[in-house]
Amino acid sequence: MGIVAAFRELDATVDAIEDLKRQKISDVTVYTPTPRHEIEEAVSPPTSPVRRFTLIGGFCGACFGYWIAVWTSDYWPLVVGGKAIATWIPFTIIGFELMVLIGALATVAGMFINSRIPKITMTVGFDPRFTHGHYGIWVQEAPERARIVEETLRRHGAEDVRHED
Amino acid sequence: MATVARPRGATDLSPRPNVASANQQLPGVADYEQVDRDIGGSLTPTAGWFGALAVAIALFLWGAGTWTYQIYWGLGNAGYNPPVMWGVYIISFVFWVGIGHAGTLISAILYLFRAGFRTTIYRCAEAMTVFAVMTAGLFPIIHIGRPWKFFWLIPYPNWRLIWPNFKSPLVWDVFAISTYLTVSATFLYVGLVPDIAVLRDRATNPVRKRILAVMSLGWRNSEKEWRHFARMYLFLAAFSTPLVLSVHSVVSFDFAMAINPGWHTTIFPPYFVAGAIFSGIGMVFTIIIPIRKFFRLQHYVTINHLDAAAKLCLFTSLVVGCAYLVEFWVAWYSANQFEQKYFWNRVFGEWWWAAWIMLTCNMVFPLSLFSQRLRRNPGWLFILSIFINLGMWFERFVIIVPTLSHEFEPWQWAHYAPSWVDISILIGSFGWFFMWFLLFIKQLPVIAIAEVKEIVPPRLRSPHPHEDAIDVTGRHQAYEPDTPGEFD
Amino acid sequence: MTSRRKWALVPGFVALAGAVALLSAYSGASSSQNFTPEQPINFPHPTHVQQLGMNCLYCHYSANKSPDPGLPAVGTCLGCHNPIEVGPNRPKIDSIPARQSVEIKKLLDNYADPSGKPKKAIPWVRIHKLPEYVHFPHMRHVNAGVACQSCHGQVQRMQRVYQFSSLNMGWCVNCHVNGYKPADAVRNTEGYPTAADEALPPKKARYDCSACHY
Amino acid sequence: MTEPSGSAGVKRRDFLKVLGAAGAVTTSVGCFQEDVEKLIPYLVSPDDTVPGVSTYFATTCRECAAGCGLIAETRDGRAIKLEGNPAHPVNHGALCARGQASLQGLYNPDRYRHPMARRNGKLERITWDEGIRTLRERIAGLGAGAANAVFVNQHESGSFPAFLDQWLAGYGMPAHLSYDGEAPHAVMQANRQTYGAAWPALDFTAAKLIVAVGADFLEMWGASVPQQLSFADARAKLADAPRFVYIGPRRSLTGLNADEWLACKPGSELAIVNALAGKGDVAAAATAGGVDQAALQRLAGELAATKPSLVLSGVTTANALDVALAVNALNVAAGNVGVTIKPAEALTGFDRVGSPNDLRDAVQRMASGAVPIAMFRGVNPVYVLPKSLRVAEALAKVPFKVSFSPFPDETSELCDLILPDDHFLESWGDAESVRGTISLQQPAMDRVFDTRATADVLIGVTKGDPATANRIPVADYRSWLIGRFPGGAQAFGAALARGTAPGSPAQNATASRTVAAAPAPAPAPLEGQQGDFYFVAYPSPVLGDGRATNKPWLQELPDPVTKIAWQSWIEIHPTTAARLGIENGDHITVTTAAGSVNAPAYIFMGVRQDVVAMATGRGHTGYGRYAQNVGVNPLDALPVAHDASGGLALATVKARLTKTADHSPIISTEGSARQHARGIGRAVTVAELNGPEEEEVEHFAGDNKHDFLPGLRSPVANDAQGVLGNPKSKDKGMYDPEHWSGMAKRRWAMAIDLARCTGCSACVTACYAENNIPTVGAPWQGRSLRPFHSGDGNGWDTRPGANILKGREMQWIRIERYYEGGEDGSSDFDTRFVPMMCQHCGNAPCEPVCPVYATYHSPDGLNVQVYNRCVGTRYCSNGCPYKVRYFNWHGYGEPARRQYAFPEPLNWQLNPDVTVRGKGVMEKCSFCVQRIREAEHRAKLEGRELVADEFTTSCAQACPSRAITFGDAADEKWSVARLAEDRRAYHVFEELNTFTAVVYLKKVNHPAGGER
């Protein structure tokens, strides 16, 4: 079962998170109206893997850019302005632009995939206040330990605690 | 505006200028809830807004009608006068692309530079960017002789087995502009997602709530989302920075790659990029100053922010002015009579007035920003921004028309005068731009809610001795706050 | 887990869009292939070519010396379908007896005067049409040994002639670049290429734009 | 076409009745035509034509009296191009602009489409039978009055005049009046007196010094084409070429080709000629003529010292005959007769021409009401005679007027019976252009409209009445011709193939003009008239006396001197203009004793300070949509004054000048008349030419590192596209010289000899004719001026030439005319004519910028423009330093648009081998790629390689001075390859490293006193 707690203050939220950690309660989701370093520190999560998406996307983009330009030029060789048929320097522009394009889109895709959005359901473990002024903690825990969790959250000054099944 | 309770201190607060401190940045904003209230409240449509929208749409329709007319009867109805084969449309294209450069600059480059003053204006600038590029993208199509064949510039597999010419600057344009449009639109949208979530949760109208729910992609402010979001935002910024520089460089290649006197010069890319940013900032002023007034957001977009932006404007103006002068020097030093003749003709020839409009508006007037009083005077900034827009349009005019009308072959020297068709379509483009922009500012937050919350002091259970210290748990002394205005 | 399934949709949509784009690009949307119009006179090519063994060049007389293949003059038709001698009958061909023919009647009634002189031209409906900005010299192709059937299809078997090839630019260019196999000419004319024919190298042609477009 | 043609010979000219079969020329750039199209076969397949392949007919040009030989190219029964007949003794294959444009007379949309008669004031359609009957009855009813009948025929040589006179005589009518407003009557009469021939052949090549006293022998003075050929050959002798001095108040096109110009007052020529002849006082002559005495003295000495010389007179003052006689005497004295002037090989085109004075006399008889019937064929007295003669009023006094004119001109609009004549490309005839040679005129095609040859009409008139039925015992004029042809039908048929035959056409010995013209009224002496300016009218080099004005090609062709099209102008000297505060385009009114004209001023160094000059040809009040209300007619201000020979005196009146308020911009294709030291048109003096070669190092304006080197220095030229500017590029495809297609072995190139080019602009019109170039100056082709307007032209820019005002003319080849010197307004300036077309650069700046490869470099060295690929970014034009790319601003090729340039039946002339460009695409000179490909097809079918100089471009073919040479520069067997290496060769803007395929050969100047 899940417990959703809403906090008014930042430091209270931070204390609660660290307390839960100390109690080896793992499945904790924290909500914050705006990114705060304190919370990130408290949760101390692994580095986001989005950067890999960026790297791969950018690389593919650049390769495709150069390839399409060179291949089409050689596919039907036409001389313009006495220039070589496949000219690398101008094709760099194509390579660069496509690197940026594909790279950027891949990055966004990375963010979506990693943070599991678009989310289909908004009901479970969420409270509209979290996008307003409140911080939130959502713990999914076995019923028998739920009481401890709730008690911990209240101790740290949760404005209110809600149970979900 | 009646619906908006005039928030506390929504006047032009003038705190001590150039003070770098977190809690001083938005003295008028108490807590997160107020941010939602103020910004969310500014979204209610007003009569004035409907009026403006109506005008914009009317102008757009007039322009669109003129374009269909031009397509049917031929480009001859525009003012072209061979060899001046490029005219108002390409001028406006470059103009609008230039406008489109401020947004990404502010949201991306200043983000990397941790320039705090961007926070409250970047959303506005980004939206401006997207719509400006949308406008600019139309002009090449309007300009070409057979618009219905425009897609031939895009490399797609086809049964003719033929492809575009990747050596042509115009194809580079296609790639640069479309990439720029896509990336900046994405940038704008993903930045909006958390704010849309805020609106979603505040919305009362169920239909609106539903739409916002879809648009917000189910964003719920979880710490995990924020983590990936921050990383993505960083990389997007990192990508956009070179992109901004590349796009207008590529646009400048349209000219620099041709051999015409006045075009064929290596100074063009930096010169164009500076000019673009300059014109962009000008347009930002033109837009943000009325908005902060009518939306009562002076306590968000403070004088400090305008001041900082004005400094950026002054800097780019100096760069542009330098470029102008260097051009003349190069022409003289090249000992190339075509170049020399052209540049003489530029300032003393048939088009002298255009050249002088350009020089005064872009070089002389902005010098006033050396005065701190004028920098901190929104009224003056607004007036100046109008001059800048005008001057930058004429900069492109001066680059294109005099060159084409007066180049190598004396027998083909000619004049040029726009016709009613050119003018109508130019006006229509402003209608098109403002139509989108007006629709935007009443549907979506014109100031980034989530990011503003970042610079609003958080609520604390145990008030800390040092109000302005960010680290309330007192455990991470090593952390350096990105305080706004620290680069002022 | 509903979200999982919905995730699968996204690449699905992308793939679909791509497929549609490619199809539309390659479909040669503006080709009038298989265009089979109703002709003023349903001229039976099979009878003339297969039974009577007439050569294409008998009627399309300038295909080997002009860009324009040429059309038979009404006089040419009346040369055989002589109203005086055979009237609205199909002339007797070796074994096959002469008999009434609706189409010949049409010819005589509408396009010839009783004396057998041509009266009025037959408004044939044009089937194979290249845009005016393409210059297609028939004689070059015919003299290069390209069988008529290679482009026009097995007209000698068509009861009603239709546009056999797409006449798209890609279709032209493929042959110009890859070349035309003499053996194909034999096959297209219902012959059986010998090993010698097969051995012959394909005949290529210019693929420079100004070869056809000017 | 409804008219079944009488002769079997014409059958094969039947049309394919529908365009579809002929590879229809419709605008189609860019889209498949899905709409079902009909294919219409022949009824009876023609014996000797192949659909899609051109048939050629030799015939004779009747646009002017010279009678050049033509080859008419017909395709599927339609004449599509005229070229000079190389075998013809007059023009040797060359053809002037007017000859080219006669096609637009044939297909002119304003031609009379059927006979008409005036019924209660209106011209109504009638049948030919009615028409012929009406004419017959009228003539029958004349009775004694027949003796006063007037038949005015446009002067032509050959049998028709004799036939006509015979016919007239049959009805007791006086012989016809053979009128030619362009013929220099004074010169011809003087020639008859001195040499016994109206127009002796002129051999410029034999001369060492040419002095032209107002004789514009490259223009309207005599037979321009043969004179131009000979003159160009003379100048092409370079160092040994004759020096050329022009004397006259206005520096015409001929004058601009002169090495020196003595700008003398009109009327002073006689004194000057006498001075030159040593018969008169030089000083007096110099003061009288207002010329520099030293120069005159020097010229007199030079003339005396240089033998043989060639002195020509062409003045149009009242004493023209005296001047001409004096000049002839000078030639005789100098022993030029038989050397440079050859009466033995006279051009006979002008023999038996009547004079304007005869026409004036006829008009005055009409005015007196004595004339019962007047018939006009090809002559338009209402327009070509001075307004002060009141021709229209005189015509009103004539009870019955018949016009055989094919066009609705000012005269025929006043006539009671219109029996439209066939165009000469539709009818039979003959001419005697050179003594002893008949050149035949045969129909190149079936009739376009329901017209009929006048000769056949006249025959029809006689046939209708039993009394006169067997007066002309032949079926039609053709049989009449054959009947009189030396050798009969056999020889006639044989001669048709060549177009010429030895012998002389039938002359009517008996008939001579029974009514003698009253002597011309003595004109008022020029000096002593009031007015501070001499008013000089001159026949336009392009439009002549106005008979060519209804042809859009010629309206659009810029005047070779002023470069003005679709407009009349008044030439005025810069100094005078400055004095009177007159700018280009300010309207000024020229008022003479006889009347006044008002036109925009054009400031021109080539007139004296006390002279204003104006060209004839425009100012029609009728004559079809292209001529009507375009410009003004200088004759409106001329008195009725004739010289002693009866020629109309054009420079005989003084005028007052008043500046008016209104201003209309000059419709000119000229940007700057100065080349600003950019080395576009270059020249060497004889001295330099004789000098050692190594001195010949030129430095370029704008770049002093490049020295001049002759030849084609393109990386894709001498090695024929082997390198592509990058030796390492792997797949060269067809650009590899070893490629099986062999395309890259060729490098098409062009050489233009500025020493030959006279700037006559025949090439421009030839290019229009060959390449389906639209004319854009017609009043309905302008652009929109405001958002809301109706289709009737209201709201559009309906000024004639409005598009040209916007610089939108489409001349694939244009003649640039640059002045050197004379900035101070002195008469001492040099003119450079530079034909400018696509230079087909090896490194073309236009190519790489095109996003869709619509323009690229073909393996055989062409800069190809693929119309159907073009999307119209116009970037290529920006890149082009020569500015030779032209854009279709409107749907000039789209029948549905009001700017359509080829209203039916003008579109019948369109060349089926060339795509008609639609709106929104770029076009430019293609080096006549269709001719290249056609030649390649022909060679391939005949299983051979191309032969050197086997074919050439349209401009080169037409050029009457043979200045243009086209060919394969990569193969030294072609003459262009040799010319490219000439020491005079240079490229325009070579410093831009465009490596052009067009080589210019420098003009050669012969300054005064230069050693010979």
Side-chain angles (χ1 to χ4, degrees), chain A residues 18 30-32 34 38 97 119 124 128 131-132, chain B residues 36 201-202 217 220 223 226 246 453-454 461 470 475:
Chain A
E18 287 168 345
V30 182
Y31 299 100
T32 159
T34 178
E38 302 80 354
E97 297 294 344
K119 275 251 191 331
V124 187
T131 61
H132 200 30
Chain B
D36 292 359
D201 295 340
R202 304 287 89 68
L217 305 170
R220 38 204 276 171
E223 180 276 341
W226 281 123
S246 85
K453 285 178 179 172
E454 279 189 58
R461 181 169 45 181
I470 289 298
R475 219 175 298 131

mmCIF file of all heavy atoms in Angstrom, chain A residues 18 30-32 34 38 97 119 124 128 131-132, chain B residues 36 201-202 217 220 223 226 246 453-454 461 470 475:
data_model
loop_
_atom_site.group_PDB
_atom_site.id
_atom_site.type_symbol
_atom_site.label_atom_id
_atom_site.label_comp_id
_atom_site.label_asym_id
_atom_site.label_seq_id
_atom_site.Cartn_x
_atom_site.Cartn_y
_atom_site.Cartn_z
ATOM 1 N N GLU A 18 15.577 11.817 4.756
ATOM 2 C CA GLU A 18 16.774 11.181 5.310
ATOM 3 C C GLU A 18 16.402 10.182 6.396
ATOM 4 O O GLU A 18 16.981 9.099 6.504
ATOM 5 C CB GLU A 18 17.717 12.266 5.835
ATOM 6 C CG GLU A 18 18.381 12.995 4.681
ATOM 7 C CD GLU A 18 19.097 14.250 5.118
ATOM 8 O OE1 GLU A 18 18.861 14.709 6.243
ATOM 9 O OE2 GLU A 18 19.886 14.777 4.313
ATOM 10 N N VAL A 30 9.748 11.456 -4.270
ATOM 11 C CA VAL A 30 9.680 12.784 -3.668
ATOM 12 C C VAL A 30 9.126 13.762 -4.699
ATOM 13 O O VAL A 30 9.463 13.682 -5.872
ATOM 14 C CB VAL A 30 11.083 13.243 -3.214
ATOM 15 C CG1 VAL A 30 10.987 14.600 -2.540
ATOM 16 C CG2 VAL A 30 11.681 12.220 -2.279
ATOM 17 N N TYR A 31 8.236 14.645 -4.282
ATOM 18 C CA TYR A 31 7.704 15.682 -5.160
ATOM 19 C C TYR A 31 8.173 17.032 -4.681
ATOM 20 O O TYR A 31 8.220 17.291 -3.472
ATOM 21 C CB TYR A 31 6.173 15.649 -5.173
ATOM 22 C CG TYR A 31 5.598 14.349 -5.681
ATOM 23 C CD1 TYR A 31 5.144 13.379 -4.803
ATOM 24 C CD2 TYR A 31 5.532 14.093 -7.046
ATOM 25 C CE1 TYR A 31 4.633 12.181 -5.271
ATOM 26 C CE2 TYR A 31 5.008 12.905 -7.515
ATOM 27 C CZ TYR A 31 4.562 11.961 -6.626
ATOM 28 O OH TYR A 31 4.058 10.779 -7.084
ATOM 29 N N THR A 32 8.536 17.891 -5.633
ATOM 30 C CA THR A 32 8.909 19.243 -5.231
ATOM 31 C C THR A 32 8.444 20.224 -6.297
ATOM 32 O O THR A 32 8.568 19.948 -7.491
ATOM 33 C CB THR A 32 10.437 19.357 -5.025
ATOM 34 O OG1 THR A 32 10.795 20.733 -5.118
ATOM 35 C CG2 THR A 32 11.185 18.612 -6.097
ATOM 36 N N THR A 34 9.643 22.783 -7.339
ATOM 37 C CA THR A 34 10.731 23.253 -8.175
ATOM 38 C C THR A 34 11.983 22.509 -7.747
ATOM 39 O O THR A 34 12.110 22.153 -6.590
ATOM 40 C CB THR A 34 10.902 24.777 -8.003
ATOM 41 O OG1 THR A 34 11.996 25.191 -8.806
ATOM 42 C CG2 THR A 34 11.197 25.149 -6.562
ATOM 43 N N GLU A 38 18.807 20.703 -2.136
ATOM 44 C CA GLU A 38 18.761 19.988 -0.851
ATOM 45 C C GLU A 38 18.121 18.631 -1.047
ATOM 46 O O GLU A 38 18.623 17.606 -0.583
ATOM 47 C CB GLU A 38 17.960 20.800 0.164
ATOM 48 C CG GLU A 38 18.500 22.196 0.418
ATOM 49 C CD GLU A 38 18.090 23.180 -0.654
ATOM 50 O OE1 GLU A 38 17.484 22.744 -1.658
ATOM 51 O OE2 GLU A 38 18.406 24.368 -0.533
ATOM 52 N N GLU A 97 24.092 20.263 -38.799
ATOM 53 C CA GLU A 97 22.680 20.553 -38.503
ATOM 54 C C GLU A 97 21.948 19.279 -38.102
ATOM 55 O O GLU A 97 21.162 19.264 -37.160
ATOM 56 C CB GLU A 97 22.014 21.197 -39.721
ATOM 57 C CG GLU A 97 22.605 22.547 -40.130
ATOM 58 C CD GLU A 97 22.387 23.626 -39.088
ATOM 59 O OE1 GLU A 97 21.539 23.438 -38.206
ATOM 60 O OE2 GLU A 97 23.107 24.645 -39.140
ATOM 61 N N LYS A 119 2.822 10.141 -18.745
ATOM 62 C CA LYS A 119 2.157 9.281 -17.758
ATOM 63 C C LYS A 119 0.690 9.182 -18.140
ATOM 64 O O LYS A 119 0.080 10.160 -18.557
ATOM 65 C CB LYS A 119 2.271 9.888 -16.361
ATOM 66 C CG LYS A 119 3.537 9.559 -15.641
ATOM 67 C CD LYS A 119 3.283 8.597 -14.509
ATOM 68 C CE LYS A 119 4.522 8.487 -13.622
ATOM 69 N NZ LYS A 119 5.794 8.738 -14.370
ATOM 70 N N VAL A 124 -2.817 7.855 -8.754
ATOM 71 C CA VAL A 124 -2.094 7.170 -7.679
ATOM 72 C C VAL A 124 -0.909 8.006 -7.205
ATOM 73 O O VAL A 124 -0.157 8.556 -8.008
ATOM 74 C CB VAL A 124 -1.592 5.797 -8.183
ATOM 75 C CG1 VAL A 124 -0.986 5.018 -7.024
ATOM 76 C CG2 VAL A 124 -2.716 5.043 -8.842
ATOM 77 N N PRO A 128 -2.353 17.420 -6.193
ATOM 78 C CA PRO A 128 -2.181 18.662 -6.937
ATOM 79 C C PRO A 128 -1.352 19.689 -6.180
ATOM 80 O O PRO A 128 -0.695 20.532 -6.787
ATOM 81 C CB PRO A 128 -3.613 19.166 -7.108
ATOM 82 C CG PRO A 128 -4.443 17.944 -7.046
ATOM 83 C CD PRO A 128 -3.751 17.009 -6.109
ATOM 84 N N THR A 131 2.279 20.559 -7.220
ATOM 85 C CA THR A 131 2.685 21.513 -8.263
ATOM 86 C C THR A 131 2.429 22.940 -7.828
ATOM 87 O O THR A 131 2.589 23.876 -8.596
ATOM 88 C CB THR A 131 1.881 21.260 -9.560
ATOM 89 O OG1 THR A 131 0.485 21.450 -9.242
ATOM 90 C CG2 THR A 131 2.094 19.862 -10.070
ATOM 91 N N HIS A 132 1.965 23.106 -6.602
ATOM 92 C CA HIS A 132 1.601 24.449 -6.130
ATOM 93 C C HIS A 132 2.704 24.964 -5.216
ATOM 94 O O HIS A 132 3.698 25.509 -5.671
ATOM 95 C CB HIS A 132 0.259 24.369 -5.406
ATOM 96 C CG HIS A 132 -0.445 25.685 -5.301
ATOM 97 N ND1 HIS A 132 -0.327 26.680 -6.204
ATOM 98 C CD2 HIS A 132 -1.302 26.149 -4.345
ATOM 99 C CE1 HIS A 132 -1.070 27.715 -5.861
ATOM 100 N NE2 HIS A 132 -1.679 27.418 -4.710
ATOM 101 N N ASP B 36 2.169 31.124 -8.632
ATOM 102 C CA ASP B 36 1.065 30.522 -9.386
ATOM 103 C C ASP B 36 -0.062 31.519 -9.549
ATOM 104 O O ASP B 36 -0.608 31.689 -10.637
ATOM 105 C CB ASP B 36 0.551 29.273 -8.646
ATOM 106 C CG ASP B 36 1.598 28.168 -8.656
ATOM 107 O OD1 ASP B 36 2.665 28.420 -9.255
ATOM 108 O OD2 ASP B 36 1.366 27.110 -8.079
ATOM 109 N N ASP B 201 -3.257 21.667 -12.556
ATOM 110 C CA ASP B 201 -3.744 21.411 -11.193
ATOM 111 C C ASP B 201 -4.475 22.608 -10.619
ATOM 112 O O ASP B 201 -5.184 22.491 -9.638
ATOM 113 C CB ASP B 201 -2.571 21.017 -10.299
ATOM 114 C CG ASP B 201 -1.978 19.693 -10.761
ATOM 115 O OD1 ASP B 201 -2.708 18.978 -11.474
ATOM 116 O OD2 ASP B 201 -0.807 19.416 -10.472
ATOM 117 N N ARG B 202 -4.275 23.794 -11.242
ATOM 118 C CA ARG B 202 -5.033 24.947 -10.748
ATOM 119 C C ARG B 202 -6.322 25.111 -11.523
ATOM 120 O O ARG B 202 -7.223 25.793 -11.070
ATOM 121 C CB ARG B 202 -4.218 26.250 -10.887
ATOM 122 C CG ARG B 202 -2.843 26.272 -10.220
ATOM 123 C CD ARG B 202 -2.937 26.372 -8.726
ATOM 124 N NE ARG B 202 -3.014 25.049 -8.116
ATOM 125 C CZ ARG B 202 -2.010 24.165 -8.120
ATOM 126 N NH1 ARG B 202 -0.869 24.435 -8.731
ATOM 127 N NH2 ARG B 202 -2.149 22.980 -7.549
ATOM 128 N N LEU B 217 1.521 15.958 -20.337
ATOM 129 C CA LEU B 217 2.078 14.608 -20.441
ATOM 130 C C LEU B 217 2.135 13.916 -19.081
ATOM 131 O O LEU B 217 2.997 13.086 -18.835
ATOM 132 C CB LEU B 217 3.495 14.674 -21.028
ATOM 133 C CG LEU B 217 3.648 15.394 -22.358
ATOM 134 C CD1 LEU B 217 5.116 15.581 -22.687
ATOM 135 C CD2 LEU B 217 2.956 14.641 -23.460
ATOM 136 N N ARG B 220 4.430 15.288 -12.973
ATOM 137 C CA ARG B 220 3.958 15.380 -11.583
ATOM 138 C C ARG B 220 5.029 15.861 -10.637
ATOM 139 O O ARG B 220 4.961 15.580 -9.439
ATOM 140 C CB ARG B 220 3.342 14.072 -11.145
ATOM 141 C CG ARG B 220 4.073 12.855 -11.681
ATOM 142 C CD ARG B 220 3.173 11.671 -11.724
ATOM 143 N NE ARG B 220 3.137 10.991 -10.410
ATOM 144 C CZ ARG B 220 2.281 10.027 -10.134
ATOM 145 N NH1 ARG B 220 1.378 9.681 -11.018
ATOM 146 N NH2 ARG B 220 2.317 9.435 -8.961
ATOM 147 N N GLU B 223 10.805 14.075 -8.061
ATOM 148 C CA GLU B 223 12.233 14.386 -8.044
ATOM 149 C C GLU B 223 12.941 13.705 -9.210
ATOM 150 O O GLU B 223 13.812 14.277 -9.866
ATOM 151 C CB GLU B 223 12.826 13.956 -6.707
ATOM 152 C CG GLU B 223 14.296 14.225 -6.554
ATOM 153 C CD GLU B 223 15.151 13.121 -7.156
ATOM 154 O OE1 GLU B 223 14.624 12.005 -7.368
ATOM 155 O OE2 GLU B 223 16.328 13.390 -7.462
ATOM 156 N N TRP B 226 12.404 15.673 -12.341
ATOM 157 C CA TRP B 226 13.222 16.893 -12.315
ATOM 158 C C TRP B 226 14.670 16.574 -12.674
ATOM 159 O O TRP B 226 15.327 17.302 -13.406
ATOM 160 C CB TRP B 226 13.174 17.549 -10.938
ATOM 161 C CG TRP B 226 11.934 18.346 -10.704
ATOM 162 C CD1 TRP B 226 11.045 18.164 -9.682
ATOM 163 C CD2 TRP B 226 11.465 19.442 -11.463
ATOM 164 N NE1 TRP B 226 10.026 19.081 -9.774
ATOM 165 C CE2 TRP B 226 10.258 19.878 -10.867
ATOM 166 C CE3 TRP B 226 11.912 20.092 -12.604
ATOM 167 C CZ2 TRP B 226 9.517 20.947 -11.358
ATOM 168 C CZ3 TRP B 226 11.171 21.154 -13.091
ATOM 169 C CH2 TRP B 226 9.980 21.572 -12.475
ATOM 170 N N SER B 246 25.263 28.879 -35.693
ATOM 171 C CA SER B 246 25.344 28.311 -37.045
ATOM 172 C C SER B 246 24.231 28.863 -37.926
ATOM 173 O O SER B 246 24.442 29.180 -39.085
ATOM 174 C CB SER B 246 25.239 26.793 -36.977
ATOM 175 O OG SER B 246 23.879 26.413 -36.952
ATOM 176 N N LYS B 453 10.073 29.909 -9.328
ATOM 177 C CA LYS B 453 10.025 29.344 -7.962
ATOM 178 C C LYS B 453 11.432 29.051 -7.463
ATOM 179 O O LYS B 453 11.731 29.174 -6.275
ATOM 180 C CB LYS B 453 9.171 28.070 -7.962
ATOM 181 C CG LYS B 453 7.678 28.348 -8.045
ATOM 182 C CD LYS B 453 6.871 27.054 -8.089
ATOM 183 C CE LYS B 453 5.368 27.323 -8.148
ATOM 184 N NZ LYS B 453 4.604 26.081 -8.370
ATOM 185 N N GLU B 454 12.319 28.697 -8.431
ATOM 186 C CA GLU B 454 13.689 28.392 -8.000
ATOM 187 C C GLU B 454 14.326 29.579 -7.297
ATOM 188 O O GLU B 454 15.132 29.417 -6.384
ATOM 189 C CB GLU B 454 14.543 28.002 -9.212
ATOM 190 C CG GLU B 454 14.366 26.568 -9.649
ATOM 191 C CD GLU B 454 15.394 26.194 -10.706
ATOM 192 O OE1 GLU B 454 16.593 26.320 -10.412
ATOM 193 O OE2 GLU B 454 14.989 25.812 -11.819
ATOM 194 N N ARG B 461 10.782 25.537 8.037
ATOM 195 C CA ARG B 461 10.194 25.334 9.361
ATOM 196 C C ARG B 461 10.970 26.155 10.385
ATOM 197 O O ARG B 461 10.438 26.900 11.164
ATOM 198 C CB ARG B 461 10.219 23.847 9.713
ATOM 199 C CG ARG B 461 9.608 23.536 11.060
ATOM 200 C CD ARG B 461 9.431 22.067 11.210
ATOM 201 N NE ARG B 461 10.670 21.367 10.739
ATOM 202 C CZ ARG B 461 10.808 20.052 10.741
ATOM 203 N NH1 ARG B 461 9.828 19.270 11.123
ATOM 204 N NH2 ARG B 461 11.913 19.490 10.301
ATOM 205 N N ILE B 470 21.217 29.601 0.579
ATOM 206 C CA ILE B 470 20.346 28.650 -0.079
ATOM 207 C C ILE B 470 20.264 27.370 0.731
ATOM 208 O O ILE B 470 19.208 26.800 0.948
ATOM 209 C CB ILE B 470 20.881 28.338 -1.496
ATOM 210 C CG1 ILE B 470 20.677 29.555 -2.380
ATOM 211 C CG2 ILE B 470 20.170 27.143 -2.080
ATOM 212 C CD1 ILE B 470 19.235 29.947 -2.553
ATOM 213 N N ARG B 475 24.363 21.814 5.640
ATOM 214 C CA ARG B 475 25.304 20.714 5.596
ATOM 215 C C ARG B 475 26.208 20.755 4.363
ATOM 216 O O ARG B 475 27.115 19.980 4.195
ATOM 217 C CB ARG B 475 24.560 19.379 5.660
ATOM 218 C CG ARG B 475 25.280 18.332 6.529
ATOM 219 C CD ARG B 475 24.432 17.088 6.658
ATOM 220 N NE ARG B 475 23.157 17.414 7.318
ATOM 221 C CZ ARG B 475 21.987 17.020 6.825
ATOM 222 N NH1 ARG B 475 21.919 16.360 5.696
ATOM 223 N NH2 ARG B 475 20.876 17.314 7.468
#
